[in-house]
Amino acid sequence: MTDHCRLCHSTNLRPVIDLGQMPIAHRLRHSRNEQEERYPFEVLACGDCGLPQIVKPIDPDILYRQFNYNFSSWKPEPHQVDELDTIAKFSSHQSVFEIGCNDGLFMDKLRERGAKVLVGVEPNPVSGKIARERGISRAQVALAWVLAKPVVSAPIVGVTKDQHLDDAVAAVDVRLTAEEIARLEEPYTPHAVVGF
């Protein structure tokens, strides 16, 4: 349980959203009768520095036990068809709401398979635009932004795949312009959800 901000250590935490007990998104059941593991998903924001944070993070050994990839056009996706087929077994996926949709590749594939209503949320859509403009990954943009901050003296990067390490190393040579940094930092304007 978080009782202080992970960034500034303030105890001035305020609730943002509590989604209750949620399944792990990438942990698909093998049958309808299989018991689904659920974990609390509550987000607080620090009243001093503004950092949103999960109150009770899932132990990484549990979270990544059956990790099955993410979908984005910047890398090969050999398991994408299997993932789509697995989803199709349990749902007609006529309406899809994807959090963390990256560049929308997976939603495009769902659309090709007949999904009618698709809503994707990416925490910061600007990072994808800058990444496309520069021909680099979103991770490199994010790490370059961190490296551009004078208050960050030693960024810690969690590497679970070779690509993560490649992105981290490549980000060292990325210099974001002042305009790009401003675009990344401007407040995100929420958009209305349509189609439901």
Side-chain angles (χ1 to χ4, degrees), residues 79-97:
H79 297 85
Q80 186 184 81
V81 172
D82 290 340
E83 190 81 7
L84 289 162
D85 289 344
T86 301
I87 290 170
K89 281 187 205 176
F90 299 103
S91 168
S92 64
H93 58 265
Q94 292 298 308
S95 298
V96 176
F97 181 75

Side-chain angles (χ1 to χ4, degrees), residues 3-54:
D3 62 354
H4 64 275
C5 175
R6 287 190 210 106
L7 181 62
C8 74
H9 304 289
S10 168
T11 56
N12 182 14
L13 298 177
R14 53 188 165 78
V16 174
I17 190 167
D18 185 350
L19 297 175
Q21 298 288 318
M22 299 294 293
I24 295 174
H26 61 265
R27 185 91 36 88
L28 299 176
R29 296 181 296 176
H30 293 72
S31 73
R32 291 180 189 271
N33 299 327
E34 183 178 338
Q35 184 67 24
E36 186 172 59
E37 296 177 70
R38 292 180 166 262
Y39 299 89
F41 190 179
E42 181 181 4
V43 177
L44 301 179
C46 178
D48 294 334
C49 74
L51 178 73
Q53 47 211 288
I54 296 173

